[in-house]
Amino acid sequence: MNEIYEAQTTTIVTPQILLGNHLKALKLPTFAREYDKVAMEAAQDRADYPRYLLRLCELERIDRERRNIERRIRLARFPQTKSLDTFEFTAQPSLNKSLVLELARCEWIETRQNCIALGPSGTGKTHMALALGLAACQKNYSVAFTTAAALVHELMEARDERRLRALQKHLNAVRLLIVDELGYVPFTAVGAELFFEVLSQRYERGATLITSNLPFDEWTSVFGSERLTGALLDRLTHHVHILEMNGESFRLATSKKAQRRSTQAPNAITRASTEEGKDSKI
Ligand code: ADP
Ligand code: MG
């Protein structure tokens, strides 16, 4: 910066260049990009200086909010983008829609509660977790999305590399931790302990969303220990919202519909029956 001030006094530097430098140093990129255009508009509207500055401030704040949300979404590491707008509630009658809409307002994250989505494969649990995660990012909460298997793998790796503390600290700090697909892969004893530790440390400190294809009474098969499962469920379900998603697989229902259509339109039979075959394995 000193060089700039020296340059200002010793040589002729255009105010635009200096202004550009100052705005960059002050981290006001929208000011820098828009001040000229807004100045012309202000002149046309005969707006006074405070109004001119106000317009620039508003633009900067709007843009900053957008950049923050984009950053939250990037850091959350969602595998895909899904939102509630594309979720068909009619396809999942067991799901409490008003509860979902309430959860999308994110008060449960503010009050550090938990949410568990339960149901068989294909019922939209991951879609729901992604949509609620996105809603949280849009409200400027920090979010981390992972699967149970990936989380345990990462914890074990961190432990072997003596950076478990740092990872635990990161997982503790995030406002919403989403753990997808608990139940598909059973944990080793060490894996189960490490998973338990994360959730135990987050108890009443941060919100956690878990999705599982297993009802609670089968969670012991994942953790391998009744004692640990009991202690985990005790903490997890103290302040919890349960999303029951026990309907039919959306993929299966969609391909069944496609097959019904193909019976009416013989040309489409081959493609639809291939899809049915693929989805029925889920
Ligand atoms: P799960 O995680 O329960 O196995 P997914 O969320 O992966 O199920 O859903 C499978 C596919 O079906 C995804 O592409 C998802 O977007 C879609 N899907 C599931 N349920 C619905 C629904 N009710 N409305 C719209 N799309 C849905
Ligand atoms: Mg899933």
Side-chain angles (χ1 to χ4, degrees):
M1 284 306 284
N2 287 341
E3 288 160 28
I4 295 161
Y5 287 116
E6 276 164 29
Q8 191 177 14
T9 49
T10 53
T11 58
I12 302 160
V13 180
T14 63
Q16 278 89 342
I17 291 173
L18 282 172
L19 186 58
N21 279 325
H22 292 323
L23 291 173
K24 196 170 173 192
L26 290 168
K27 296 194 168 54
L28 295 168
T30 312
F31 258 76
R33 203 179 56 239
E34 301 289 334
Y35 77 86
D36 221 13
K37 194 174 121 224
V38 178
M40 280 193 277
E41 287 166 4
Q44 266 171 15
D45 302 346
R46 295 176 190 279
D48 54 18
Y49 292 134
R51 280 195 181 79
Y52 167 60
L53 270 179
L54 178 65
R55 279 184 199 177
L56 277 175
C57 287
E58 281 168 350
L59 288 177
E60 186 71 55
R61 283 194 68 174
I62 292 167
D63 222 36
R64 189 171 289 188
E65 210 164 288
R66 185 185 52 76
R67 288 196 304 271
N68 274 341
I69 293 170
E70 279 172 5
R71 189 171 53 88
R72 295 274 185 222
I73 293 172
R74 231 179 14 255
L75 291 174
R77 293 169 172 237
F78 296 124
Q80 323 161 50
T81 311
K82 298 262 177 179
S83 74
L84 282 184
D85 298 343
T86 56
F87 192 85
E88 291 176 29
F89 284 91
T90 47
Q92 201 52 245
S94 66
L95 183 64
N96 182 344
K97 183 178 175 180
S98 54
L99 173 59
V100 172
L101 298 181
E102 173 70 39
L103 293 175
R105 284 201 282 274
C106 299
E107 256 168 52
W108 66 287
I109 298 171
E110 190 57 42
T111 50
R112 300 163 160 82
Q113 301 182 356
N114 300 319
C115 175
I116 304 178
L118 297 173
S121 179
T123 50
K125 299 182 300 297
T126 301
H127 187 136
M128 188 52 63
L130 289 166
L132 290 175
L134 184 68
C137 288
Q138 283 163 344
K139 295 238 176 220
N140 210 11
Y141 289 105
S142 55
V143 178
F145 186 103
T146 182
T147 63
L151 177 61
V152 166
H153 184 81
E154 210 183 333
L155 286 163
M156 305 258 270
E157 208 171 64
R159 192 189 64 137
D160 293 346
E161 293 167 9
R162 298 182 167 275
R163 49 179 181 82
L164 184 60
R165 274 280 171 82
L167 177 59
Q168 283 174 334
K169 218 171 142 191
H170 166 70
L171 291 167
N172 277 348
V174 76
R175 293 296 300 271
L176 172 63
L177 175 67
I178 302 178
V179 184
D180 198 20
E181 295 186 351
L182 181 87
Y184 287 115
V185 188
F187 300 151
T188 59
V190 178
E193 286 282 349
L194 288 171
F195 186 92
F196 173 79
E197 246 174 77
V198 170
L199 290 205
S200 176
Q201 283 167 4
R202 287 185 63 77
Y203 174 64
E204 293 190 335
R205 294 210 197 115
T208 305
L209 191 165
I210 294 184
T211 80
S212 178
N213 60 316
L214 296 179
F216 291 138
D217 56 6
E218 289 177 36
W219 281 28
T220 311
S221 66
V222 178
F223 293 96
S225 146
E226 245 171 65
R227 179 192 54 82
L228 199 73
T229 313
L232 180 98
L233 280 174
D234 193 40
R235 286 159 178 76
L236 207 54
T237 57
H238 185 194
H239 312 284
V240 76
H241 304 277
I242 310 267
L243 297 175
E244 298 268 7
M245 305 176 72
N246 288 317
E248 196 181 2
S249 159
F250 189 81
R251 286 180 281 229
L252 196 59
T254 315
S255 57
K256 272 185 188 166
K257 253 190 237 163
Q259 201 187 30
R260 272 200 297 278
R261 272 200 304 275
S262 73
T263 339
Q264 286 151 10
N267 285 348
I269 279 181
T270 329
R271 211 185 109 248
S273 54
T274 319
E275 292 204 347
E276 171 76 9
K278 187 178 73 193
D279 285 348
S280 59
K281 284 187 208 140
I282 291 161

